[in-house]
Amino acid sequence: MKSLNLWPGREKSPSKEDGEGKIPQHIAIIMDGNGRWAKERGMPRVVGHRAGMKTVKEITKAADEVGVKILTLYAFSTENWKRPKEEVDFLMRLPEEFLELELEELIVNNVQVRMIGDKEGLPSHTVKAVEKAIQETKDNSGLILNFALNYGGRKEILDAVKAIARKVEKRELSPDSIDEQFFHQYLLTPDYPDPDLLIRTSGEIRLSNFMLWQLAYTEFWFSDKYWPDFHREDFLEAVEAYKKRERKFGRIKS
Ligand code: IPE
Ligand code: IPE
Ligand code: MG
């Protein structure tokens, strides 16, 4: 239940004329360019990460406003451990910092915080902060704000394969019964539809191991802006462009 609206400017769910049905239900974002944003300003990379946190808030609000149901944000990849320790340590503190500042407002705005990725590899203080947010927002029914943290698409697929192989080994499952729908249930996103729209900022045109299975038929939008410079209007531009796309899923034009 929405008791209070701390996010002014937020509209009710979109009307039919607004293109209902064409609003992407699930948007995934590769939030990239924090380091270069800071470097261009002669500041340490971590300053860019902190600035990027503000963008997370702004884009979460914008997504909620246009009627997006799930927003998956790539916050830390399984490859990001290769960065200098100081930067990794800083990034591992950011979820706490973000949630300390924003959890109350997320609760009031009916947002459900979720996470995909390997909790085992994360420091306990990071897991604690995220779990608290998940717990405190679990009864909300609004936007799902899903953080991909220590997430890797290949690892996700391998983990699913291993779990399924174990079932086959125990003769609980026949290999012939493994279809796409079944496989999807073993991924980290069993309850979510695949992303309709993927946004990557900072001008890089690659997936960097993000949602490899789920992005099979997703529409892509690349922005040259660094993540801290990516604002509501940029997000809305991506959503508008998405609405004009024709998704064919292998079919021919209708
Ligand atoms: C994205 O910004 C944030 C994370 C990967 C955690 P980067 O830190 O990758 O910034 P650039 O790409 O080096 O500019
Ligand atoms: C992808 O960005 C990971 C996140 C945004 C969390 P990177 O900056 O790590 O990707 P590469 O290494 O440039 O491909
Ligand atoms: Mg990067």
Side-chain angles (χ1 to χ4, degrees):
M1 288 297 283
K2 289 171 191 143
S3 50
L4 234 169
N5 187 3
L6 295 180
W7 292 354
R10 175 169 137 158
E11 297 154 11
K12 291 269 164 289
S13 40
S15 66
K16 284 256 186 290
E17 303 79 64
D18 230 348
E20 192 183 80
K22 293 199 94 183
I23 298 285
Q25 275 198 68
H26 184 176
I27 298 185
I29 306 185
I30 303 176
M31 310 183 287
D32 199 12
N34 294 348
R36 279 164 284 165
W37 181 90
K39 198 174 170 219
E40 278 189 6
R41 285 160 181 76
M43 294 188 289
R45 291 177 55 82
V46 294
V47 175
H49 295 314
R50 184 163 281 138
M53 234 170 44
K54 287 210 184 82
T55 310
V56 170
K57 178 174 181 172
E58 184 177 340
I59 300 307
T60 301
K61 282 159 70 170
D64 196 26
E65 186 188 304
V66 298
V68 169
K69 302 275 183 285
I70 307 158
L71 180 66
T72 298
L73 300 178
Y74 203 8
F76 193 91
S77 74
T78 47
E79 287 70 38
N80 287 145
W81 297 107
K82 295 174 195 159
R83 295 187 179 199
K85 186 178 180 302
E86 309 78 71
E87 182 170 345
V88 169
D89 288 348
F90 186 90
L91 287 167
M92 288 300 140
R93 289 278 170 202
L94 270 193
E96 281 158 276
E97 198 174 315
F98 176 78
L99 292 165
E100 186 106 350
L101 285 169
E102 307 301 342
L103 183 55
E104 211 168 306
E105 200 170 329
L106 292 169
I107 292 170
V108 168
N109 283 282
N110 202 23
V111 172
Q112 312 174 59
V113 177
R114 307 268 180 87
M115 180 199 140
I116 52 170
D118 253 355
K119 281 187 186 159
E120 285 83 59
L122 293 168
S124 56
H125 62 86
T126 313
V127 176
K128 213 172 130 194
V130 175
E131 278 180 346
K132 177 173 179 266
I134 293 170
Q135 179 62 26
E136 291 189 14
T137 59
K138 73 175 188 338
D139 296 326
N140 287 352
S141 57
L143 175 77
I144 293 173
L145 176 59
N146 182 33
F147 289 100
L149 204 53
N150 194 18
Y151 172 88
R154 286 186 171 178
K155 177 154 199 312
E156 178 186 31
I157 291 170
L158 279 181
D159 286 347
V161 168
K162 284 183 207 165
I164 293 169
R166 271 183 221 110
K167 292 219 160 179
V168 172
E169 190 183 32
K170 286 194 240 156
R171 302 195 178 276
E172 289 168 11
L173 184 71
S174 148
D176 293 327
S177 62
I178 305 167
D179 59 13
E180 289 185 14
Q181 230 180 335
F182 179 89
F183 192 77
H184 184 240
Q185 292 307 307
Y186 282 79
L187 295 173
L188 298 171
T189 55
D191 303 328
Y192 305 150
D194 290 340
D196 300 297
L197 175 64
L198 169 83
I199 298 172
R200 182 170 189 151
T201 58
S202 90
E204 306 299 345
I205 319 269
R206 56 176 171 265
L207 288 181
S208 303
N209 203 13
F210 192 43
M211 301 188 98
L212 299 178
W213 175 278
Q214 296 89 339
L215 295 175
Y217 253 106
T218 300
E219 296 293 327
F220 288 3
W221 176 263
F222 296 100
S223 166
D224 284 334
K225 292 196 175 176
Y226 296 141
W227 177 246
D229 287 332
F230 190 79
H231 293 294
R232 181 180 178 276
E233 58 273 20
D234 303 305
F235 178 81
L236 297 181
E237 188 189 353
V239 171
E240 283 310 309
Y242 170 86
K243 286 201 221 162
K244 294 195 188 89
R245 301 245 183 117
E246 192 190 5
R247 302 185 73 184
K248 297 199 288 184
F249 300 100
R251 298 185 193 101
I252 55 168
K253 250 182 139 159
S254 50

